[in-house]
Amino acid sequence: MGADGEMLRQPGRIAPEDPVNTNEKEELRLRLARLAWLMDNSIPIPGGAKIGIDPLIGLIPWVGDLLGALVSSFILSEAARLGIPKSVLLKMAFNTALDALIGAVPFLGDLFDFAWKANMRNVRLLEHYLEHPRATVMTSRLFVALLCLLVIALVVLIGLLGFLLVRALWQAVSQYT
């Protein structure tokens, strides 16, 4: 905040309380929703399901998955420009990373792309934040905390398994010497 109590505008960021930027914010939200729809839901398939171009371009090894991740990253960067809190951005980044990592696995990743729809998830998360900021931040913080605990538990588990493997190998070698 400035000395007169007015919020200082950061370059490239849309100030939330500026009435001029309210229209810009709404236009950006609509553009991101259209982009997510194009990537995840734009093509109807028999049976009432919908897919987008993301799983289709994902069929091109490596290049398709990279292009899909770039589009998803664009949505994430525009959300950051709107001033979305870091906890919500981390949840969006998780959706994008999971989509990119599993999407890179041949065949299984393409099936995952049909169902996961990370872009639609991220736009819904963005819209939910714009409508209910406090609730979205709280659930996102809880998600990030649980994800951190899961990563810590995984690191500890891998360390424990490594220790047990080295100990078993040491015991096996000592029996023969």
Side-chain angles (χ1 to χ4, degrees):
M1 292 220 162
D4 57 357
E6 189 176 314
M7 182 174 178
L8 295 175
R9 185 174 170 100
Q10 296 175 350
R13 192 165 180 176
I14 300 172
E17 62 281 324
D18 189 349
V20 173
N21 288 328
T22 303
N23 289 336
E24 184 182 354
K25 193 184 250 188
E26 182 61 20
E27 287 174 18
L28 179 58
R29 189 194 63 76
L30 289 173
R31 278 196 315 264
L32 294 177
R34 270 186 255 127
L35 179 59
W37 171 82
L38 178 67
M39 293 299 289
D40 292 341
N41 282 338
S42 60
I43 304 167
I45 57 175
K50 292 181 180 180
I51 63 168
I53 60 172
D54 186 26
L56 296 179
I57 62 173
L59 293 171
I60 305 167
W62 297 102
V63 174
D65 296 316
L66 179 63
L67 289 173
L70 285 173
V71 171
S72 296
S73 297
F74 173 75
I75 292 173
L76 189 62
S77 69
E78 290 299 293
R81 194 168 76 90
L82 283 171
I84 303 303
K86 289 178 185 174
S87 61
V88 179
L89 291 173
L90 283 170
K91 191 171 183 180
M92 293 172 77
F94 173 81
N95 290 337
T96 300
L98 188 64
D99 184 47
L101 288 174
I102 296 179
V105 177
F107 188 67
L108 174 66
D110 299 319
L111 291 176
F112 183 77
D113 274 344
F114 288 122
W116 183 249
K117 301 178 189 253
N119 300 304
M120 292 299 294
R121 286 175 184 269
N122 286 345
V123 167
R124 277 195 308 268
L125 193 56
L126 170 67
E127 289 173 345
H128 193 262
Y129 172 76
L130 293 174
E131 293 171 15
H132 311 285
R134 184 170 280 170
T136 307
V137 168
M138 291 304 292
T139 58
S140 295
R141 284 181 180 166
L142 178 62
F143 174 81
V144 169
L146 290 174
L147 188 61
C148 287
L149 287 175
L150 180 66
V151 168
I152 290 169
L154 187 61
V155 167
V156 168
L157 180 64
I158 289 171
L160 179 63
L161 290 174
F163 170 77
L164 293 173
L165 177 64
V166 168
R167 190 173 87 177
L169 288 171
W170 183 261
Q171 288 175 349
V173 168
S174 1
Q175 286 180 356
Y176 295 109
T177 57

